Amino acid sequence: MSKANLLDRRQVVSTLLANRNDVVAIGGLGASTNDMCAAGDHARNFYLWGGMGGAAMIGLGLALAQPKLPVLVITGDGEMLMGMGSLATIGLQKPSNLSIAVLDNEAYGETGGQTSHTSAAADFVGVARACGINDSRSVTTMADVEAFAKAVHDVSAGPRFANVKIGSAGLERILPTRDGTYILNRIRGDLGFQPI
Ligand SMILES: Cc1ncc(C[n+]2csc(CCOP(=O)(O)OP(=O)(O)O)c2C)c(N)n1
Ligand SMILES: [Mg+2]
């Protein structure tokens, strides 16, 4: 696909979260967290900041604990590569309320744009499907993004996975708070739990 046609990450994330209602959103480290914050900070956003490789597993835990809530993981290709084994566990557990969107710029953007494995043979959609996540999509248009955003709300038909090919532009950092305890207790409070 020509680089000119690649999707804009901010537009992708703001579309994924536009009509979020009760969606709980987990942001992978760095750029995807910035994208989520740019779309609007929210009590149900859980940002990983620098913790690499855990986004999908945190999503799995939340999805299992809150089976009626739509849980959406938004992460990068580098972060997902580090946590690729989690796709096997998600394919095994099959939480029907979990959706994962990988923002695939084929690079470790945040650390200088080193090319990642997805610029070569690594194919997340194939991996996710082979792990048992039957609804695994390659997303290349905004219409595909809108369809996925809609599907996220169907908590009975997941898990689902989308690999979204995005451009590699480095964008302004829109930073949420770095206070992890605050982020955790804010989401706990919004879900009706006491702070820890
Ligand atoms: C365990 C660990 N190793 C390395 C890093 C450094 N690091 C921070 S962001 C990043 C790249 C992330 O790439 P990707 O998930 O594709 O996000 P992008 O910036 O490309 O959107 C790396 C390697 C880290 N935070 N943690
Ligand atoms: Mg990347």
Side-chain angles (χ1 to χ4, degrees):
M1 164 177 230
S2 113
K3 289 227 175 235
N5 294 330
L6 291 170
L7 300 180
D8 173 85
R9 57 187 309 149
R10 291 274 153 91
Q11 205 186 344
V12 167
V13 173
S14 62
T15 300
L16 287 174
L17 295 173
N19 299 306
R20 62 184 295 167
N21 300 325
D22 52 355
V23 166
V24 174
I26 320 296
L29 78 176
S32 46
T33 274
N34 293 336
D35 297 332
M36 278 172 55
C37 196
D41 192 24
H42 195 284
R44 292 196 180 195
N45 283 357
F46 188 80
Y47 308 110
L48 246 68
W49 271 118
M52 193 167 177
M57 278 317 228
I58 291 173
L60 173 63
L62 261 161
L64 293 175
Q66 297 286 327
K68 291 195 178 122
L69 282 185
V71 176
L72 171 61
V73 175
I74 302 174
T75 191
D77 51 310
E79 203 278 339
M80 190 72 247
L81 279 162
M82 189 171 267
M84 202 152 78
S86 48
L87 295 176
T89 303
I90 290 163
L92 182 74
Q93 297 265 346
K94 291 201 179 359
S96 62
N97 55 332
L98 179 63
S99 304
I100 300 168
V102 172
L103 305 172
D104 182 10
N105 56 4
E106 303 184 353
Y108 297 91
E110 193 74 0
T111 45
Q114 303 86 354
T115 51
S116 85
H117 312 45
T118 61
S119 70
D123 167 20
F124 281 132
V125 175
V127 171
R129 200 168 283 145
C131 287
I133 304 175
N134 299 329
D135 183 351
S136 293
R137 315 170 184 197
S138 177
V139 167
T140 55
T141 68
M142 283 310 295
D144 296 340
V145 176
E146 280 161 27
F148 191 76
K150 216 168 166 187
V152 164
H153 293 274
D154 184 350
V155 295
S156 62
R160 59 184 69 80
F161 180 93
N163 193 66
V164 188
K165 285 290 183 187
I166 57 161
S168 56
L171 301 170
E172 185 194 352
R173 290 184 171 168
I174 314 277
L175 306 176
T177 172
R178 276 198 176 84
D179 183 339
T181 308
Y182 169 80
I183 295 170
L184 177 62
N185 282 329
R186 182 174 71 161
I187 197 167
R188 284 180 64 84
D190 206 70
L191 295 176
F193 295 98
Q194 296 294 318
I196 55 164

